[in-house]
């Protein structure tokens, strides 16, 4: 039976939403795996006591320390060895858990995952991707989104290879398409490291490791031209944060406009509500909670990183993702692909 | 009297909208400058003939060749010396025009501007900025947006200095704030070249050349934390194109939703129209036509680059921008600031 270590203390809504998420996951999947919930007893136990969970495969493990969003990753990982985050990853390392799930401090989780689990054979730099909105079926992952800056061409190629395996094996996308994010479509465009990456991605395509469609530009992402958009972490991180800021920017224009129209009698209350609903629905493709989180790919183990705003549903879906990755041997396939070069 | 060379052939709606734009500009400003409109006689003359322009300071100059959007910039500039673009810049170089305005092939205009006009004293790399939406008063310019990749720290510092002078002298922003776009706020974050740029921007601030507020992240741009957002052209270009793709992406969700609600009787036609108007207004801050275009800063002359989609209004506003830059001695101030280091 698979066993998942879950960080009860990670995320803006922790521990309450994590407790709810793991309970939902166990009920929905009818106890087919075990959850090791890790956190501060005084915070978590009262929440568990309130629930009727005697029949669930849920075990609580006390961890006295907490790594917060404000902790500096590298320091926190060293000084807070008794935190839920570090403890959970150590359970994975010791073979007592099959995966670790957290919606806490992303930087700390990356640092601790790398430090505790190490890298898979052949992997130069583990990486983290993000989901971008699309209207079409399938997935758009931008990679890297901040784990790696100063990337070399060979790093970008490995990101593409790892994401291809992840999307194919864990997300069921038969032939994920990879695009290289650049300032123009022509292969001789852009900075030197991208020209080199372009040539190396062509080779990886020829060797059957990826499906490379060439350079793509910023406006091609939402058009879903590629499933995997490869870039340096500086570009990916900037675009991710810029994109995340758009819904609230637009809401701050839309909402007062609607209110003004209602006040002036140009729109009745009911129509205003309908229009506001349509506005909210418009951002449905921006909802990444259906995925729950992203795996930190390339580490020797499974470490799923959630958004700080994660809800119970997101936590539940992160557990499903971990299950998929294990069942479909994503890490084994990454190691095979990346040692064979 | 100032004299502006305007490329009649540049832009998706050329030459018609360029003809309309220059006529509007001359009428609105009551002939206080002269326009040299350059283009293919067979295309432009019939449009001019239809207008009552005998009293305007408008002179037409025939240029047999046209550089299109599909031309490769470096090649086009060499092989199409008789194009409206190259001819217009040559008029500036010869002192027969005070500025050049075009909404054509941006890459070709940059290459030709650099080639024909040369650089201002002290400028390492001329640059191009873009306007980003903001709700607050003032301006947000992201720089560079594709003219320069593989930027060195000193290039980023010069971009900040040039934009500071431009915003202060031509746009009337008393104290433009500069932010360095990075993956985190802390000065030790991000790639090596940005850590160095951070230190050098601090120095420039201490010397009174810019007002540096430190690192900013992707989500700070729409919040208008900075007036000038400095980054490598790869990052700026990607973000600009990504941002430009958002309105139509959202429209392709919003419009069918509204139509479905009308069809199902949940929204009446009038309310649907009002809601659609609000939707369109939401993108008002994305409208950069009010600026018309951006100057290619750092060249020894004034070359204003417009969006391919430019309307007559955009052309008119580009002419105003050229006027402002000359009156307020932007180039002279840039040369003074950048030779004094």
């Amino acid at each position: 039976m698979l066993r998942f270590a879950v960080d009860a203390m990670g995320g803006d809504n922790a521990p309450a939403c994590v407790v709810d998420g793991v309970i939902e996951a166990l009920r929905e999947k009818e106890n087919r795996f075990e959850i090791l919930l890790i956190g501060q007893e005084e915070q978590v136990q009262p929440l568990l006591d309130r629930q009727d969970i005697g029949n669930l495969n849920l075990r609580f493990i006390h961890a006295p320390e907490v790594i917060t969003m404000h902790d500096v990753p590298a320091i926190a990982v060293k000084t807070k060895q008794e935190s839920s985050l570090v403890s959970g990853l150590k359970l994975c390392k010791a073979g007592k858990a099959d995966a670790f799930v957290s919606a806490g401090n992303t930087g700390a989780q990356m640092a601790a995952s790398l430090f505790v689990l190490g890298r898979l054979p052949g992997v130069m730099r583990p990486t983290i991707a993000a989901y971008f909105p699309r209207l079409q079926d399938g997935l758009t992952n931008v990679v890297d989104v901040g784990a790696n800056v100063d990337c070399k061409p060979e790093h970008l190629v490995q990101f593409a290879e790892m994401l291809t395996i992840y999307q194919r094996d864990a997300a069921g996308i038969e032939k994920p398409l990879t695009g290289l994010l650049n300032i123009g479509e022509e292969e001789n465009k852009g900075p030197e490291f991208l020209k080199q990456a372009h040539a190396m991605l062509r080779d990886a395509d020829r060797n059957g490791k990826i499906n490379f469609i060439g350079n793509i530009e910023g406006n091609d992402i939402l058009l879903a031209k590629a499933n995997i958009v490869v870039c340096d972490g500086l570009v990916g991180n900037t675009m991710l944060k810029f994109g995340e800021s758009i819904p609230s920017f637009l809401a701050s224009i839309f909402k007062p406009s609607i209110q003004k129209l209602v006040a002036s009698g140009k729109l009745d209350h009911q129509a205003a509500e309908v229009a506001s609903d349509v506005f909210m629905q418009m951002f449905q493709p921006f909802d990444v909670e259906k995925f729950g989180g992203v795996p930190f790919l390339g580490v020797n183990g499974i470490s799923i990183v959630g958004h700080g705003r994660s809800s119970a549903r997101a936590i539940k879906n992160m557990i499903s993702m971990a299950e998929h990755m294990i069942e479909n041997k994503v890490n084994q396939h990454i190691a095979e692909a990346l040692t064979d070069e």
Side-chain angles (χ1 to χ4, degrees), chain A residues 149 161 341:
Chain A
V149 293
E161 291 177 354
E341 331 195 89

mmCIF file of all heavy atoms in Angstrom, chain A residues 149 161 341:
data_model
loop_
_atom_site.group_PDB
_atom_site.id
_atom_site.type_symbol
_atom_site.label_atom_id
_atom_site.label_comp_id
_atom_site.label_asym_id
_atom_site.label_seq_id
_atom_site.Cartn_x
_atom_site.Cartn_y
_atom_site.Cartn_z
ATOM 1 N N VAL A 149 18.095 29.609 -12.420
ATOM 2 C CA VAL A 149 18.421 30.731 -13.290
ATOM 3 C C VAL A 149 19.839 30.503 -13.805
ATOM 4 O O VAL A 149 20.500 29.563 -13.373
ATOM 5 C CB VAL A 149 18.311 32.088 -12.551
ATOM 6 C CG1 VAL A 149 16.856 32.374 -12.186
ATOM 7 C CG2 VAL A 149 19.213 32.131 -11.334
ATOM 8 N N GLU A 161 12.987 17.068 -21.562
ATOM 9 C CA GLU A 161 12.918 15.605 -21.504
ATOM 10 C C GLU A 161 12.121 15.145 -20.274
ATOM 11 O O GLU A 161 11.288 14.247 -20.359
ATOM 12 C CB GLU A 161 14.332 15.013 -21.480
ATOM 13 C CG GLU A 161 15.060 15.209 -22.809
ATOM 14 C CD GLU A 161 16.496 14.702 -22.784
ATOM 15 O OE1 GLU A 161 16.984 14.291 -21.706
ATOM 16 O OE2 GLU A 161 17.126 14.728 -23.843
ATOM 17 N N GLU A 341 22.444 9.180 -22.400
ATOM 18 C CA GLU A 341 22.772 10.238 -23.367
ATOM 19 C C GLU A 341 24.291 10.425 -23.466
ATOM 20 O O GLU A 341 25.006 10.190 -22.560
ATOM 21 C CB GLU A 341 22.137 11.587 -22.965
ATOM 22 C CG GLU A 341 20.874 11.497 -22.194
ATOM 23 C CD GLU A 341 20.121 12.817 -22.135
ATOM 24 O OE1 GLU A 341 19.324 13.033 -23.046
ATOM 25 O OE2 GLU A 341 20.306 13.615 -21.209
#
